[in-house]
Amino acid sequence: MSEDILILEKKINTFNNLYDKYKKQNSVDTIELKECLCDILTWFEICLKTSTDFNSLEKEKVSGIKYANNVKKHSISIFKYTLQTYALFPSNGLYPSASLYPSDFNIFWNSLPLDNSNFANQYNNYKKHFEGKELYSSLNEMFNIIKSHYN
């Protein structure tokens, strides 16, 4: 196996570990997350150069992830996140518990603008397959797609 796909796998594992840490601490280090995500997107591009034979759905996802990679170079945040928040209503016997979470921890792909109409197809594929979706599952899915087609 090529060292490029091994580096990508290492980057994915780093992201997965960070995600677990952030979830456990209910806190996100946005600079650390941005660095990790930019690394992954860069290595996706590198590994995609030697990946072939995608089916039509996979081609759409590859196109969409390429859009995220291109936009990451701008100052736009390509992710957003939610933290667990505890809702306490005035009551003598009510304490924070799992049943009182109005939101849950997660990191999502952000809405991105279409900066250049030459990239409308990639933009539309990003919106279709990534925008608003969970970063964790979609990055791991993209890694598996690339790995299965990697030459």
Side-chain angles (χ1 to χ4, degrees):
M1 191 176 289
S2 168
E3 60 190 35
D4 289 346
I5 198 76
L6 294 174
I7 293 170
L8 175 57
E9 185 169 29
K10 182 178 175 186
K11 299 293 182 183
I12 289 289
N13 289 335
T14 298
F15 169 78
N16 290 342
N17 291 333
L18 282 177
Y19 181 89
D20 291 340
K21 178 180 96 170
Y22 296 156
K23 186 171 185 172
K24 187 176 186 179
Q25 295 176 352
N26 196 36
S27 174
V28 174
D29 180 334
T30 56
I31 294 170
E32 183 180 46
L33 178 58
K34 181 178 181 178
E35 177 186 11
C36 184
L37 183 55
C38 288
D39 283 350
I40 289 171
L41 291 172
T42 297
W43 282 99
F44 276 169
E45 283 285 333
I46 290 167
C47 291
L48 281 168
K49 292 178 193 296
T50 56
S51 299
T52 57
D53 299 325
F54 297 108
N55 66 38
S56 59
L57 178 61
E58 292 168 336
K59 283 179 185 176
E60 286 182 2
K61 290 180 179 185
V62 165
S63 171
I65 208 73
K66 284 182 175 188
Y67 190 76
N69 185 53
N70 289 335
V71 173
K72 82 172 195 272
K73 300 165 191 156
H74 308 297
S75 60
I76 299 162
S77 180
I78 60 174
F79 64 87
K80 58 186 176 181
Y81 59 90
T82 59
L83 301 176
Q84 292 176 341
T85 52
Y86 302 93
L88 283 178
F89 303 99
S91 170
N92 290 335
L94 193 57
Y95 301 95
S97 71
S99 64
L100 296 177
Y101 297 159
S103 64
D104 197 8
F105 175 86
N106 220 319
I107 305 171
F108 303 94
W109 291 101
N110 212 354
S111 295
L112 300 177
L114 176 59
D115 288 341
N116 183 331
S117 60
N118 292 334
F119 297 102
N121 187 49
Q122 286 184 351
Y123 170 77
N124 290 331
N125 285 323
Y126 173 83
K127 287 185 73 60
K128 180 178 179 181
H129 296 289
F130 296 101
E131 186 177 291
K133 307 277 190 320
E134 296 176 358
L135 219 63
Y136 184 90
S137 57
S138 58
L139 286 176
N140 281 282
E141 179 186 7
M142 280 307 303
F143 171 68
N144 289 329
I145 288 170
I146 292 168
K147 189 175 179 182
S148 68
H149 295 283
Y150 190 79
N151 294 320

